[in-house]
Amino acid sequence: MTEQERYETIDMPFYEKEIRPLLPPEVLDFHTHVWKTEHWKENPWKEQEPGAKYMKTTQEYPMEQLLADGRRILPGVTYKAVCFGNPTPAADIQLGNAYITECGKQPELYPLMLAGKGLSTAEEIEGVLDAGRIYGYKVFLNWFGNNYGAVTIDDMLSPTEMRIADERRLIVLLHVPRSERLADPVIQQGVRNLSQTYPQAQIVLAHCGRCYLPDEMQRAVKAIKDLDNVYLDSSMVMEPLSIEILLNEIDSSRLLFATDFPVPAMRGRRVYVMDHWVDLVLDGYEPSDFRVMSDNMRASFMVYEIILAIRRAAERVGLSQKQLEAIFYENGKKVIETVKNR
Ligand SMILES: [Zn+2]
């Protein structure tokens, strides 16, 4: 079967029946990556760096490809996205931030610059923020792959970045470190400190605090319950029970639909086995850690599994249709409109 045949005979009938009816006319994807080949300081997949095989996707993923994927996978709605570069030591931060400034010229894109402790001076950060239509930071990950070690939030963000974020009400999109993620008490305290010290900053925890598993969400959610300036993006979270546990504790207005493109343009589903997630995908993708490939199943774009997990959780906790639709657009739009950098 060709790619186009698969799209027409498997993906689109499923999309029209199960996914499209859930979506508002505009969809805002709060977590996507864009980069060009020349932004790599070293090819992270050719070098034998630790973590090099953590998550293989593609050599480059320019903004045109992101928008094309959004429109192809979610046709019939207007696709908009918060986007940023690759926040890893293998990427050139200056080149990535220059490209992000270019992305700001596209009205359907809301770029975040890469920032993090020790990476830039306050003047340098303000220079990038003042030069373009930039809505905040994607926090730099100062490690390779899943080598989180003993990293804390204090190691990732300093008062230099956070003071500016507080003044301008910036989005601070944070991928929390350590193997226990937001279930780790040290990480929970770090998030609480950020939220309370910088109450005007809008902190978004990527991948729902990386709580892909219900047990992790169960241990994590109480720590952020009372923090109104902490939001959660749904990127790569496909487990309905994780989202149900979250929505039982916090208002649904703090949940923001997100994909993590290009990753969930793969066909398959993120599942969990024992105490870790695994990406179960169709054959033909690059071999990668935590990726199991097989053609012995039906599968469509992982984006749909994220949307279905939200719908299944919303049903269980009794969200209205309006509240459900807001997760896909209004909730994120309000966060963007609160930013004072424009
Ligand atoms: Zn990401």
Side-chain angles (χ1 to χ4, degrees):
M1 199 189 304
T2 66
E3 164 66 31
Q4 188 60 22
E5 283 166 357
R6 187 182 286 281
Y7 180 75
E8 287 169 13
T9 61
I10 298 176
D11 303 323
M12 281 305 101
F14 186 77
Y15 174 75
E16 290 301 337
K17 182 164 179 279
E18 300 289 342
I19 307 296
R20 176 75 183 87
L22 305 172
L23 302 177
E26 292 178 282
V27 166
L28 175 61
D29 178 348
F30 219 87
H31 181 143
T32 69
H33 296 267
V34 285
W35 71 91
K36 308 261 276 191
T37 305
E38 57 268 30
H39 299 167
W40 295 115
K41 283 196 284 199
E42 64 213 46
N43 187 328
W45 300 321
K46 289 206 176 115
E47 315 288 330
Q48 283 311 305
E49 293 289 350
K53 281 181 62 200
Y54 178 58
M55 179 59 79
K56 276 201 179 187
T57 52
T58 115
Q59 178 85 23
E60 70 173 4
Y61 195 67
M63 60 178 130
E64 294 80 10
Q65 188 62 46
L66 165 67
L67 289 168
D69 279 353
R71 290 169 189 148
R72 180 170 161 84
I73 292 176
L74 302 172
V77 300
T78 302
Y79 176 81
K80 300 181 174 180
V82 172
C83 65
F84 35 85
N86 267 313
T88 87
D92 185 303
I93 304 301
Q94 262 80 31
L95 289 179
N97 281 340
Y99 185 59
I100 272 305
T101 307
E102 278 299 301
C103 293
K105 294 176 184 164
Q106 291 280 338
E108 58 275 72
L109 294 179
Y110 302 93
L112 307 181
M113 66 181 288
L114 294 178
K117 185 172 184 173
L119 213 57
S120 321
T121 64
E123 291 69 30
E124 286 165 341
I125 294 169
E126 285 166 337
V128 177
L129 290 171
D130 290 339
R133 194 174 137 265
I134 309 278
Y135 292 82
Y137 313 139
K138 164 67 180 171
V139 181
F140 183 68
L141 309 181
N142 43 1
W143 62 79
F144 282 98
N146 59 345
N147 187 19
Y148 296 96
V151 177
T152 67
I153 287 175
D154 279 346
D155 297 326
M156 298 173 69
L157 284 165
S158 74
T160 306
E161 298 81 41
M162 289 309 296
R163 185 184 49 75
I164 301 169
D166 201 44
E167 277 167 18
R168 303 191 187 205
R169 309 212 66 185
L170 299 180
I171 295 162
V172 179
L173 202 139
L174 177 66
H175 178 115
V176 297
R178 313 245 274 207
S179 60
E180 296 282 301
R181 303 123 182 198
L182 192 59
D184 183 324
V186 175
I187 298 303
Q188 293 175 0
Q189 194 53 51
V191 171
R192 294 192 65 79
N193 290 347
L194 274 190
S195 161
Q196 289 166 346
T197 313
Y198 306 101
Q200 302 295 309
Q202 305 192 83
I203 299 157
V204 179
L205 302 179
H207 318 296
C208 289
R210 296 178 58 237
C211 296
Y212 307 107
L213 276 65
D215 298 356
E216 291 165 349
M217 184 60 85
Q218 188 71 48
R219 283 180 280 135
V221 68
K222 292 232 164 40
I224 52 154
K225 184 172 177 160
D226 60 331
L227 306 177
D228 289 338
N229 63 333
V230 174
Y231 300 83
L232 299 108
D233 92 39
S234 72
S235 57
M236 295 307 287
V237 179
M238 302 179 205
E239 175 48 47
L241 187 51
S242 288
I243 300 174
E244 182 185 340
I245 293 166
L246 176 71
L247 292 176
N248 269 325
E249 297 289 341
I250 69 159
D251 194 89
S252 66
S253 62
R254 289 167 60 192
L255 178 60
L256 316 177
F257 169 67
T259 61
D260 203 14
F261 271 137
V263 181
M266 290 191 294
R267 291 180 175 90
R269 184 171 186 261
R270 178 161 292 189
V271 299
Y272 62 92
V273 178
M274 292 178 69
D275 56 0
H276 202 283
W277 58 267
V278 178
D279 284 341
L280 189 58
V281 296
L282 294 182
D283 277 340
Y285 300 105
E286 292 273 344
S288 208
D289 291 349
F290 308 111
R291 186 175 292 173
V292 174
M293 289 185 273
S294 170
D295 266 346
N296 194 17
M297 61 178 173
R298 287 174 71 241
S300 188
F301 304 112
M302 286 174 144
V303 173
Y304 300 165
E305 300 289 350
I306 299 170
I307 294 169
L308 287 173
I310 293 170
R311 190 267 287 164
R312 288 166 179 148
E315 279 173 8
R316 303 275 300 180
V317 302
L319 292 195
S320 67
Q321 179 68 19
K322 195 160 174 279
Q323 287 171 310
L324 175 62
E325 284 191 5
I327 293 169
F328 296 105
Y329 186 73
E330 274 305 317
N331 296 352
K333 195 77 202 323
K334 278 187 191 145
V335 172
I336 280 173
E337 283 169 356
T338 303
V339 175
K340 285 201 300 191
N341 193 50
R342 293 160 305 145

